[in-house]
Amino acid sequence: MPFFSHLNPVPSFPGYTGPYTVGSQEVEIPVSELSSPSSAPDASITTVNFRIFYPCDPDKAPKHMHWLPKPQTQYFQAYAKFLNAGPWLASFLSYLPIFRLIFYTTIPASQDAKLLSPPKEVGRWPVMVFSHGLGGTKNAYSHLTGSLASHGMVVIAPDHRDGSAPLSFIRNGDGSSKEVDYVHLPHRPPPEILASVEDGRNHQLSIRCWELGLIHDALIKIDCGEKITNLATNSLQDLSGLKSNLDVHAPGTISWSGHSFGASTMVQFVKSVFYPAPQPIPSGYKPLYTPSTSSAISQQITPSSPVTLLDLWAVPLFISSTSWLWDHPLPAHQSADGSPPLAILSEAFFRWNSNLQDTKRTISPSEGEKSQVTPHLFYAIDSAHLSQSDFGPLFPWATRRMFKAAEPIRTLHLNVRAILENLRGCGIKVGDTSAADMELDDDADITEDHKILATDGSVKGWIAISLDGKDGPAGPNGHAIEANSPGEAVHEGEVMKHD
């Protein structure tokens, strides 16, 4: 069978490597059934949509879901347009047999499988919310999110309706739906449109933060067993199987993570919640998310809240109208017991020196301030911005040839290992990393993965970055060469597009 699997032309994922089988369920809930801790920035968004990855009971005949959402032809054409194909070319490509192979790609998780009861020593499954970047969807990081779920986590992957996905749909209760198309905002706008682009990006961030607040409320209601409507017709409508199994009530227990613009979103979100806008509001500051200080989300975000940032795109965070918030550190630095932030870069983003320095600033204490919390910052050699998404494992030949990204599966495994080990250090109980993932012999009697967060270079191709130095483009491996813009760092056509 392994030999014949190599002959299968359909792009496919490897299996997850954690100790648990993975299930997945799509959820779409009317906003009217949820309590928003802040006012809605866009009344046309009437639902919140996300996919859940979770440990499930092993199923002898699992039903896998397609990676490309339905309607598949429309999603394919939207991706093609996102990658700069014109409407005619996008339509033409969607009917070529070689490209239609992606229509048959499935996520190796069991659709709507029964949630596995947590082990007694765990109590409730730890929860992470993962925000996608530009061009992403709730499915676009399924190997990363599914891998984390296979180690004993419930991972929530939102589908943001802010115009950052190539395409999204808002379902209505009558079975109809409304399209949300991609909104193009240039990364390097000329001065005459800079203000409008910044306003557009802030609007996207305000929608994303609002959605995250709604998702938090949805998780509480689901865990409490409240009856809520699930409009996701291609998934099980009943959510009662998740009742009393999610660790979402105690302050600081939910992990917040994202990739690229999703990482920016999480920084904006946790800081907006933790640092309520003072009264009177500082001159020039326009808060993007203002939850009530008595809301459940305001109690949830604490210095103990784990934050993981993958290829953080920092530019949206220091727009002048939100600079007051940018000047505040992540909540972790406000307590000696804070959870150390973890940031992982691709080599492509490591080369983008200004963004590297902004990433260091994002995860560090405020300038001149001391903190007892030491953040972690790493990058993987020969990795691209796409390497932390599903595009690496699905299209390894293309990512190697176009973006010089080697070993896409191993790169993702390094990311997963670091995230899991950092969560363990934050007191989150997750499953052991396998000997194979730690690149040890099968009979090795080692269950702890401290090496992945070590700074001695003992993991091949995994480089620790100093926070207090200006190290950057001249990497110790000699690969990294300085890049001055997102276009140079990411390459034309990658998920963060070149302008």
Side-chain angles (χ1 to χ4, degrees):
M1 286 298 292
F3 171 76
F4 289 105
S5 67
H6 287 295
L7 300 180
N8 186 352
V10 176
S12 61
F13 295 100
Y16 303 126
T17 58
Y20 297 102
T21 304
V22 178
S24 185
Q25 183 174 4
E26 185 185 358
V27 177
E28 184 163 2
I29 303 171
V31 169
S32 59
E33 297 186 13
L34 299 172
S35 301
S36 175
S38 183
S39 59
D42 189 334
S44 69
I45 304 174
T46 54
T47 68
V48 64
N49 179 230
F50 52 93
R51 178 169 290 284
I52 311 176
F53 295 85
Y54 52 87
C56 72
D57 282 334
D59 191 335
K60 293 182 180 179
K63 178 185 177 184
H64 293 165
M65 71 290 302
H66 287 104
W67 179 78
L68 192 65
K70 295 179 180 180
Q72 290 185 304
T73 298
Q74 241 178 301
Y75 266 96
F76 180 94
Q77 292 175 2
Y79 267 116
K81 292 174 187 176
F82 175 76
L83 296 173
N84 292 326
W88 183 90
L89 179 59
S91 178
F92 174 74
L93 293 175
S94 70
Y95 289 100
L96 291 180
I98 190 171
F99 289 113
R100 289 185 72 86
L101 291 173
I102 193 65
F103 289 29
Y104 299 96
T105 297
T106 57
I107 297 172
S110 184
Q111 183 169 338
D112 300 327
K114 181 182 178 182
L115 178 73
L116 185 69
S117 297
K120 289 183 179 180
E121 63 271 17
V122 172
R124 288 171 176 257
W125 292 117
V127 173
M128 171 183 283
V129 182
F130 186 92
S131 174
H132 67 73
L134 297 179
T137 67
K138 58 182 175 290
N139 290 2
Y141 300 84
S142 68
H143 194 65
L144 178 77
T145 52
S147 294
L148 292 169
S150 77
H151 287 84
M153 297 195 75
V154 172
V155 185
I156 312 298
D159 214 48
H160 292 297
R161 271 65 169 279
D162 61 328
S164 62
L167 180 67
S168 188
F169 290 89
I170 299 174
R171 295 180 176 98
N172 299 313
D174 60 5
S176 63
S177 62
K178 178 179 65 176
E179 282 186 40
V180 180
D181 294 319
Y182 181 74
V183 175
H184 175 70
L185 296 172
H187 291 292
R188 292 183 290 176
E192 60 269 20
I193 64 168
L194 176 62
S196 64
V197 170
E198 289 184 343
D199 287 345
R201 200 64 80 190
N202 274 345
H203 184 59
Q204 288 184 315
L205 280 172
S206 66
I207 290 173
R208 284 166 160 253
C209 290
W210 173 71
E211 289 174 323
L212 294 175
L214 288 170
I215 289 171
H216 175 257
D217 184 65
L219 293 175
I220 292 176
K221 284 180 165 61
I222 290 169
D223 188 74
C224 290
E226 295 186 31
K227 185 174 178 57
I228 53 178
T229 303
N230 184 8
L231 297 174
T233 53
N234 57 346
S235 199
L236 184 69
Q237 271 73 60
D238 184 13
L239 302 173
S240 61
L242 300 171
K243 179 183 176 182
S244 303
N245 283 305
L246 308 180
D247 193 1
V248 293
H249 300 284
T253 52
I254 298 177
S255 304
W256 307 94
S257 181
H259 175 251
S260 192
F261 190 39
S264 311
T265 299
M266 286 310 185
V267 173
Q268 188 75 33
F269 178 70
V270 298
K271 290 170 71 170
S272 294
V273 174
F274 191 76
Y275 299 108
Q279 297 298 329
I281 293 178
S283 176
Y285 177 45
K286 297 179 181 178
L288 304 182
Y289 184 62
T290 55
S292 164
T293 54
S294 61
S295 64
I297 190 61
S298 293
Q299 310 310 309
Q300 175 59 226
I301 302 293
T302 74
S304 297
S305 299
V307 174
T308 305
L309 309 174
L310 307 183
D311 256 5
L312 168 68
W313 178 37
V315 173
L317 297 174
F318 49 82
I319 291 173
S320 59
S321 59
T322 58
S323 60
W324 179 85
L325 195 63
W326 168 247
D327 290 335
H328 288 70
L330 286 172
H333 295 293
Q334 300 293 359
S335 170
D337 299 321
S339 293
L342 169 65
I344 305 173
L345 302 180
S346 62
E347 184 170 345
F349 263 42
F350 175 69
R351 290 176 54 222
W352 182 11
N353 191 43
S354 62
N355 193 75
L356 170 62
Q357 303 310 323
D358 290 332
T359 299
K360 291 182 180 182
R361 178 179 173 182
T362 300
I363 63 175
S364 299
S366 297
E367 188 172 356
E369 299 292 328
K370 292 184 178 180
S371 172
Q372 297 184 50
V373 173
T374 303
H376 303 291
L377 179 58
F378 294 88
Y379 81 93
I381 290 175
D382 291 329
S383 60
H385 190 55
L386 286 168
S387 296
Q388 292 158 321
S389 73
D390 285 348
F391 292 90
L394 284 181
F395 310 106
W397 181 87
T399 52
R400 288 189 193 104
R401 185 175 180 84
M402 297 172 64
F403 311 124
K404 313 300 181 187
E407 300 184 292
I409 302 299
R410 182 175 184 271
T411 297
L412 270 173
H413 286 176
L414 290 173
N415 277 259
V416 171
R417 286 176 59 186
I419 294 169
L420 291 171
E421 185 61 18
N422 192 54
L423 290 174
R424 294 182 189 109
C426 298
I428 306 294
K429 295 179 180 178
V430 293
D432 291 337
T433 301
S434 69
D437 280 355
M438 288 191 284
E439 301 171 340
L440 302 171
D441 294 334
D442 289 340
D443 58 354
D445 188 23
I446 298 177
T447 59
E448 297 177 331
D449 196 15
H450 301 323
K451 185 188 294 187
I452 193 66
L453 294 184
T455 58
D456 58 4
S458 55
V459 176
K460 179 175 73 76
W462 185 246
I463 309 299
I465 304 171
S466 170
L467 288 170
D468 52 9
K470 294 293 183 182
D471 60 322
N477 59 351
H479 287 192
I481 301 171
E482 182 168 3
N484 297 310
S485 72
E488 293 177 51
V490 181
H491 308 296
E492 187 171 358
E494 230 184 313
V495 167
M496 181 186 288
K497 298 203 303 182
H498 172 84
D499 292 295

